[in-house]
Amino acid sequence: MTTDLIRQFNRGHQAAFTTIYDCYQPAIFYFVKKFIPDTAEAEDITAETFIKLWKRRENFDNERSIASFLHITARNASIDWLRSEKKEVHNRQNLIYLLSQDQYTEFQEDIKGEVLRLIKMEIDRLPLKTKQVLLMSYVEGKSNEEIAQLLNIRNQSVRNHKARALNLIRLAIIKNKWLITVMVIL
Amino acid sequence: MEAQNRIAVLILKQLKGEIDSREADELKEWINHSEENRLLFRQLTDPTRLQTEFGAFYQSRTKILNKINEAISVPKAVSLWKKIAVAASIIITVGVGGYFYFAGKNQNQVVRSTPQKQLDIQPAKNGAILTLDNGQQIVLDSANNGTLAKQGNSKIIKQGDHLSYSSNQQDSASEIIYNTITTPKGRQYPNLTLGDGTKVWLDAGSSIRFPVAFTRNERKVEITGQVWFDVVHNSKIPFKVIAKNVEVNDLGTEFNVNAYDDEQQIHVTLLQGAISIGRTTLKPGQQAQITNNGKLQLMSSVDIEEVMAWKNGFFSFRQTDIKGIMRQLSRWYDVEVRYENVNPAETFTGEIDRNLNLAEVLKILEKTRVHFRIEEGRKLVILP
């Protein structure tokens, strides 16, 4: 993360904020989710955490301060949520566990978040439309017709983008899995 | 965190098939360290489970980001150009820099500057002015979402940065109603859908005049500046684009027209499908270059990435001279350019992110012995 990026963030550039978001969202989200398995709740808490970061955007002058702010804020928010939902036994257990941990404990979820983040970065290298087509197909399981309609492009273009994505993406695990779908549709 | 990141990198290398034997041993050691590790590794390297995991991750990522954006975007008050422009235009920046990708991808070079205070100007934003049939003008930056106006039988619907015309067919008896969308310098409009479903993207300093509903026998639009089209094909109703003295006939397709008044030629580039200009038919990847006196030259080996760089968020220069570069910057940053004795032979090759502030772009260009100064009132001075 460059100092320029942080300065742009300080000045309120949304694009810089989104870059920072994509850098930390996986770690924060999977950290929260470890203690609050409900996806919607975990998403809310993660969103709140980043909204707080944005509101204080002028106060950060390096990456470390951003990272620790996010971790502490997410941790506190998780603790608050677990306290308010103490009736559930597993929440109580998670609360005790979380309170017993040091702020900087490393969790396995960090690895998962980081791997998924790196995969996303690989996909982000693709040209924009090609990337959209791949995500709609691989992530959302949409058909060529649906994709063509949503992106307002021709059916043939969808096939071209898929072929291009297969050519460019360096992740065999995605390629092979997805190829099966593509082969059927192509 | 360091150790965790190391493992993540190793897992990614494994997924990409780029892991070497030493790294494989390191990863194996971690996997064998605990049952938990083994399970996590399996989860991330099994194609079906990874697809599920990544899908869930990506959907959460988007949902959370939408929630955040909803919360932090300030609802824009009904204000006019000036107000927005002034608020967004001149800010003080301390230290700038950016990435400059040279022609070859392997020669990426990071340019970093020393901190200094200077005037700066932000890049263009999404926005445009819509002129209705009766001359009424609507500033799309600040207009509310929903139906903006009714024109004949068509409704104009705005949704965020997207403007679309409901697809009612024109009553052949009644008169054709025209609307115009204009992007001034410092604004682009990426998301316009015409009544027939054709998609249009306007670069900065451009315009398009079009019928709000198309008749049964012709679809004709007029443009200035640079516009990209993705036309919904209809063999019965040809789609025509008029740019200065050039008429492009679409046979169903995606193409780009660059017809800025201050450029010497009009460039029409075909990306997909087929178009014709006069008697010349273009194949995908070809570009027609037309001079002001109407001479057409067909180029077969144009760099599509370069032509479409603007739409992908880049300035792309291939041995472009300083004036050619400044014409682009002038439109995008809405600045007036003045030259103080410049060597016109100096050319640049490379790509620069269009999201950078002007000072950052200039810093990158300064690598090539030309110097700049930003002055009050959106003025850019080129120094030797």
Side-chain angles (χ1 to χ4, degrees):
Chain A
M1 198 173 287
T2 64
T3 45
D4 297 328
L5 180 77
I6 293 170
R7 288 210 183 95
Q8 290 188 341
F9 168 62
N10 295 150
R11 300 199 307 246
H13 279 222
Q14 286 238 11
F17 173 67
T18 307
T19 305
I20 291 172
Y21 170 81
D22 274 326
C23 200
Y24 291 108
Q25 176 267 335
I28 298 299
F29 176 65
Y30 285 106
F31 166 80
V32 175
K33 209 165 177 303
K34 181 181 173 68
F35 300 103
I36 302 165
D38 183 88
T39 302
E41 292 290 348
E43 285 170 355
D44 277 347
I45 289 175
T46 309
E48 285 306 321
T49 303
F50 280 92
I51 292 166
K52 282 185 181 149
L53 178 77
W54 173 258
K55 287 186 176 151
R56 291 162 181 72
R57 61 185 174 275
E58 278 129 26
N59 305 341
F60 302 95
D61 55 5
N62 59 58
E63 188 177 352
R64 188 179 289 249
S65 63
I66 293 176
S68 58
F69 174 83
L70 286 171
H71 278 111
I72 291 166
T73 306
R75 181 175 187 267
N76 291 343
S78 302
I79 291 171
D80 287 348
W81 189 90
L82 291 168
R83 278 212 176 102
S84 69
E85 305 286 325
K86 265 198 302 220
K87 287 193 297 288
E88 304 285 335
V89 178
H90 59 97
N91 285 343
R92 218 153 47 225
Q93 285 166 347
N94 277 341
L95 179 63
I96 292 163
Y97 179 72
L98 183 55
L99 288 170
S100 72
Q101 297 297 312
D102 182 70
Q103 271 172 18
Y104 296 104
T105 309
E106 291 173 354
F107 295 107
Q108 262 212 330
E109 279 68 18
D110 294 339
I111 296 177
K112 183 161 143 186
E114 182 64 6
V115 169
L116 294 171
R117 186 181 78 86
L118 293 172
I119 292 175
K120 179 181 172 294
M121 278 175 70
E122 287 289 325
I123 294 175
D124 280 341
R125 285 174 209 263
L126 297 172
L128 182 64
K129 271 251 168 80
T130 306
K131 175 183 136 182
Q132 287 176 328
V133 169
L134 181 142
L135 288 172
M136 284 178 165
S137 171
Y138 177 72
V139 172
E140 299 166 26
K142 288 201 163 63
S143 72
N144 281 12
E145 285 72 26
E146 287 174 289
I147 295 173
Q149 210 165 30
L150 281 165
L151 294 178
N152 211 344
I153 55 178
R154 243 166 291 285
N155 228 303
Q156 180 59 42
S157 317
V158 176
R159 287 194 283 267
N160 293 347
H161 282 299
K162 283 186 169 179
R164 199 167 172 199
L166 283 174
N167 246 327
L168 292 175
I169 194 127
R170 296 189 293 171
L171 286 158
I173 189 164
I174 288 184
K175 208 191 276 200
N176 297 341
K177 172 70 192 165
W178 182 51
L179 191 60
I180 301 162
T181 339
V182 176
M183 293 285 270
V184 175
I185 301 165
L186 268 178
Chain B
M1 205 67 187
E2 291 301 308
Q4 314 288 80
N5 285 351
R6 170 75 184 154
I7 297 300
V9 167
L10 291 179
I11 293 177
L12 190 81
K13 280 193 169 180
Q14 162 94 15
L15 294 177
K16 282 162 75 175
E18 288 172 1
I19 196 160
D20 67 29
S21 62
R22 265 222 335 259
E23 292 167 334
D25 288 344
E26 197 183 334
L27 189 56
K28 211 177 259 167
E29 196 181 315
W30 174 80
I31 295 166
N32 290 332
H33 184 75
S34 74
E35 180 62 12
E36 223 186 342
N37 290 357
R38 205 177 57 79
L39 286 174
L40 180 66
F41 179 76
R42 285 248 312 265
Q43 187 184 35
L44 293 171
T45 51
D46 174 77
T48 307
R49 293 172 71 182
L50 179 71
Q51 187 178 25
T52 313
E53 275 302 325
F54 186 79
F57 158 72
Y58 198 83
Q59 279 172 4
S60 284
R61 180 240 173 220
T62 310
K63 258 199 227 153
I64 299 168
L65 192 59
N66 288 343
K67 266 186 198 145
I68 296 169
N69 285 335
E70 245 169 60
I72 69 178
S73 66
V74 189
K76 272 182 199 144
V78 184
S79 57
L80 282 174
W81 277 115
K82 283 277 163 59
K83 217 165 149 188
I84 305 163
V86 170
S89 61
I90 299 170
I91 49 168
I92 304 294
T93 164
V94 186
V96 285
Y99 293 91
F100 189 27
Y101 297 95
F102 287 90
K105 281 219 171 100
N106 297 328
Q107 303 159 34
N108 285 1
Q109 195 173 331
V110 183
V111 183
R112 186 129 311 135
S113 70
T114 46
Q116 69 181 94
K117 282 203 172 188
Q118 63 189 119
L119 283 170
D120 202 354
I121 293 175
Q122 291 194 337
K125 295 181 166 185
N126 290 344
I129 297 168
L130 164 65
T131 308
L132 300 178
D133 192 45
N134 62 4
Q136 189 199 337
Q137 296 201 323
I138 299 171
V139 179
L140 294 176
D141 305 37
S142 53
N144 290 327
N145 283 340
T147 304
L148 288 187
K150 252 192 104 181
Q151 296 277 279
N153 291 328
S154 303
K155 272 190 213 149
I156 308 172
I157 300 145
K158 177 178 180 277
Q159 199 130 65
D161 284 336
H162 183 204
L163 194 73
S164 58
Y165 283 71
S166 65
S167 55
N168 280 322
Q169 228 193 16
Q170 166 77 23
D171 202 340
S172 46
S174 57
E175 210 178 320
I176 299 176
I177 301 171
Y178 286 93
N179 279 187
T180 303
I181 291 179
T182 312
T183 48
K185 282 180 171 185
R187 287 286 186 286
Q188 66 161 350
Y189 205 73
N191 250 322
L192 167 66
T193 306
L194 302 181
D196 64 342
T198 290
K199 300 202 92 184
V200 176
W201 185 326
L202 280 84
D203 198 358
S206 305
S207 75
I208 180 168
R209 181 172 181 266
F210 53 95
V212 295
F214 292 101
T215 58
R216 288 206 178 83
N217 43 33
E218 192 178 54
R219 295 181 287 170
K220 195 152 119 185
V221 304
E222 287 165 49
I223 67 135
T224 64
Q226 174 148 254
V227 182
W228 165 89
F229 288 94
D230 189 355
V231 174
V232 172
H233 184 50
N234 183 340
S235 56
K236 293 199 189 93
I237 317 175
F239 193 96
K240 287 182 181 171
V241 179
I242 316 279
K244 286 205 264 191
N245 56 344
V246 174
E247 181 176 308
V248 182
N249 288 293
D250 166 70
L251 312 169
T253 200
E254 184 184 342
F255 60 98
N256 189 69
V257 183
N258 181 329
Y260 282 112
D261 279 336
D262 57 0
E263 301 290 349
Q264 284 179 351
Q265 298 177 322
I266 295 178
H267 289 178
V268 181
T269 314
L270 179 62
L271 306 171
Q272 286 181 40
I275 53 175
S276 67
I277 300 164
R279 264 172 297 174
T280 312
T281 303
L282 275 73
K283 293 200 191 80
Q286 288 186 329
Q287 181 180 72
Q289 303 186 345
I290 306 127
T291 59
N292 282 333
N293 55 27
K295 251 178 78 183
L296 183 148
Q297 199 183 0
L298 195 60
M299 309 294 286
S300 283
S301 56
V302 287
D303 186 338
I304 295 291
E305 296 285 326
E306 185 203 350
V307 176
M308 296 319 298
W310 70 273
K311 203 170 146 273
N312 296 326
F314 288 95
F315 297 108
S316 181
F317 304 121
R318 303 288 148 99
Q319 298 192 338
T320 313
D321 66 14
I322 185 76
K323 294 202 168 168
I325 292 172
M326 288 309 141
R327 285 197 293 274
Q328 295 194 34
L329 297 191
S330 154
R331 291 172 204 136
W332 189 248
Y333 292 97
D334 187 14
V335 287
E336 203 179 292
V337 180
R338 199 177 80 229
Y339 297 89
E340 280 184 8
N341 191 13
V342 172
N343 174 11
E346 200 81 66
T347 67
F348 303 86
T349 296
E351 289 186 349
I352 301 175
D353 194 334
R354 294 221 294 188
N355 293 318
L356 295 177
N357 282 356
L358 180 58
E360 298 168 294
V361 171
L362 297 178
K363 263 286 174 282
I364 294 166
L365 290 173
E366 273 183 352
K367 293 246 341 144
T368 48
R369 281 165 294 166
V370 179
H371 297 90
F372 309 91
R373 187 173 66 233
I374 300 175
E375 290 182 350
E376 297 279 355
R378 303 188 89 89
K379 286 198 177 67
L380 176 60
V381 184
I382 317 300
L383 312 160

